[in-house]
Amino acid sequence: MTQELTPTETTGEAATTFASLDPRNGNVLAEYPIATTADVADAVERARTAARWWDAQGFRGRRDWLLEFKKAIAVDADSLASVVSAETGKPHGDAFLEVMLAIEHLDWAAKNAKKVLKARKVPSGLASFNQAATLEYKALGVVGVIGPWNYPVYTPMGSISYALAAGNAIVFKPSELTPGVGKWLETKWNSIAPTQPVFQVITGLGETGAALARSGVDKIAFTGSGPTARKVMAVCAETLTPLVAECGGKDAMIVAGDADLDKAVQFAAFGAFGNAGQTCAGVERIYVVESVYQQFLDKFVAAVKRAVPGGTDDSTYGPMTLPRQIDVVRSHVEDALAKGGTAVVGGPESVKERYVEPVILTDVPETSSAVCEETFGPTVVVNKVRDLDEAVERANGTSYGLGASIFTKSKSRGRAIAERLNNGMVSVNSVLGFAGIPSLPFGGIGESGFGRIHGADGLREFSRPKAVTVEKFKAPLNLMSLERSERDMKISAAMLKYMHGR
């Protein structure tokens, strides 16, 4: 997600700085420089030099450096969580949990890169049995990361950690809403490797991100909205720079008739209202089988009514970090009600200047924007379905395909339903279970983007495969020649029929 901010006013000159604001009260937290195109180019050039040093460290050397980086973050995690809390408005405990998850991923990437990416022999096949075949993965060089504001540590570190472990240098442009988080991470890196700009942070607005996308980096990792991703893709296309994009979701939760309703309610409340609903893979739609619909709804309403948004660490969740998202939330609630939906908790009056109180909508038509479009706020639609088949059909009914969750006491049924959902990730009997497992890839399909971070796929995402063959001995049949013999061709034809024509 991005925001268009007004740069700090200057007299007679273009603005050179912008302000980071506390979304709880609008107070200025700090001023940060707006990196120009030249600044970005300089950072990328420094990164190119650093990337050669970093690649030369090898898997073991990079592992040791990254574990030192992990340690530096972990021992000062409370400080980082405070920066996250100030810039996003989320309670300190939520911010600390985000830092914990990011550290787990950094640890896994550092410790598993060699196993995933090291050179290995692969079968040559009978037709090329005189060749020794090897597959290896090489670092791309410099990776540009454009980060979001909703999880300003966890999400970008999902690209940064895996790209670093794969041997790349990083130029990171944090969201203009959370620049302090990026600078904190850069300072920590510099505390262990002050002379090696392997990890650099540039701050600025949308123009700075565009400059990074067209700077000639070897890949861009972007997290944000679909419309912004399209703009980034268009810029990347100018230089054929590859892109991995995570673009949000409209994730569905399915509740079967045999589900543990108390457990489902607990996770539904967390998935829908945690972080003020500002979670790409959070719960925005809930489909409940009619036999337990009213029971689930009654329990869910009671749980959500206990949620209290606010600006303290004791609050259930904080403010809307992105001010203009408040208008989106309001419009989705109003559209759902205008099309026949019912608000059983809250309503349009729940949308305040900085905070949105919990809203639960029921009987909302599937054509409503509250069902079809990403709301990214503390609202959720709970709709009744006849059975699990209808639940799957509705869950697959949007253009998004990031994550989903299923609640049922039958693990086999849960797995079977998961197979039928058109998305990148599914949790059975939990919400966001996949997000905390470093070995699992994270990403979606359709409007939710493409490419993967985390896990072995995340390491390969920031590498390029290289195939090498070495002739072990002369081929019995001389086919790679402009003067192939009739004998060799007859033998080849017979072999083809024997091997593949039967």
Side-chain angles (χ1 to χ4, degrees), residues 29-74:
L29 296 170
E31 294 276 342
Y32 292 90
I34 299 175
T36 65
T37 299
D39 295 330
V40 173
D42 288 344
V44 172
E45 185 60 31
R46 289 192 297 271
R48 291 241 172 259
T49 301
R52 290 190 286 272
W53 171 83
W54 185 239
D55 188 46
Q57 300 303 298
F59 289 115
R60 180 57 184 267
R62 291 193 295 272
R63 176 184 185 275
D64 292 345
W65 280 107
L66 291 176
L67 292 181
E68 282 297 309
F69 186 34
K70 178 198 75 169
K71 180 180 177 181
I73 297 172

Side-chain angles (χ1 to χ4, degrees), residues 1 320 322-330 374-377:
M1 301 299 167
M320 298 297 289
L322 178 63
R324 72 162 182 259
Q325 197 66 27
I326 290 175
D327 294 332
V328 175
V329 174
R330 181 186 294 108
E374 186 177 38
T375 306
F376 223 63

Side-chain angles (χ1 to χ4, degrees), residues 80-313:
L80 177 54
S82 294
V83 178
V84 173
S85 180
E87 290 194 320
T88 65
K90 68 178 69 177
H92 188 274
D94 289 357
F96 193 85
L97 176 60
E98 177 184 344
V99 174
M100 287 176 56
L101 289 174
I103 288 172
E104 287 292 324
H105 281 277
L106 177 56
D107 181 73
W108 192 92
K111 293 178 178 177
N112 287 273
K114 181 178 180 179
K115 180 173 67 176
V116 173
L117 301 177
K118 67 180 180 180
R120 62 180 184 271
K121 295 179 180 179
V122 296
S124 301
L126 183 60
S128 300
F129 73 100
N130 68 312
Q131 300 278 353
T134 304
L135 172 63
E136 56 184 316
Y137 290 88
K138 309 293 288 184
L140 299 174
V142 179
V143 173
V145 178
I146 301 176
W149 49 263
N150 58 329
Y151 291 96
V153 177
Y154 170 77
T155 301
M157 285 297 286
S159 298
I160 292 166
S161 298
Y162 291 82
L164 285 172
N168 304 284
I170 302 295
V171 178
F172 173 37
K173 191 270 180 192
S175 167
E176 52 267 40
L177 297 179
T178 55
V181 173
K183 296 304 289 186
W184 191 99
L185 291 168
E186 182 186 46
T187 298
K188 274 299 176 234
W189 173 263
N190 289 338
S191 72
I192 65 169
T195 63
Q196 299 296 339
V198 171
F199 176 59
Q200 298 177 79
V201 172
I202 52 172
T203 57
L205 310 182
E207 294 81 0
T208 301
L212 180 60
R214 61 166 53 94
S215 66
V217 294
D218 299 289
K219 192 161 198 172
I220 287 288
F222 169 82
T223 305
S225 67
T228 304
R230 289 174 172 83
K231 294 177 182 178
V232 174
M233 284 184 69
V235 173
C236 287
E238 297 172 9
T239 51
L240 288 181
T241 299
L243 172 73
V244 53
E246 196 268 277
C247 304
K250 192 69 182 176
D251 288 13
M253 174 176 166
I254 294 174
V255 181
D258 66 342
D260 181 333
L261 296 185
D262 291 330
K263 185 175 183 179
V265 163
Q266 171 196 330
F267 277 107
F270 173 76
F273 299 101
N275 201 38
Q278 299 167 124
T279 302
C280 296
V283 175
E284 295 209 3
R285 300 175 292 152
I286 304 175
Y287 296 109
V288 187
V289 171
E290 59 184 350
S291 61
V292 294
Y293 174 79
Q294 196 59 51
Q295 288 177 267
F296 173 87
L297 186 61
D298 291 344
K299 289 175 179 285
F300 189 43
V301 166
V304 171
K305 283 184 175 180
R306 296 193 293 269
V308 181
T312 71
D313 289 339

Side-chain angles (χ1 to χ4, degrees), residues 399-428:
S399 59
Y400 293 91
L402 191 56
S405 55
I406 305 155
F407 284 81
T408 172
K409 289 180 180 176
S410 170
K411 294 184 177 63
S412 60
R413 181 184 297 115
R415 290 182 180 276
I417 295 297
E419 288 294 316
R420 297 170 60 189
L421 292 172
N422 298 330
N423 50 26
M425 306 162 294
V426 182
S427 287
V428 178

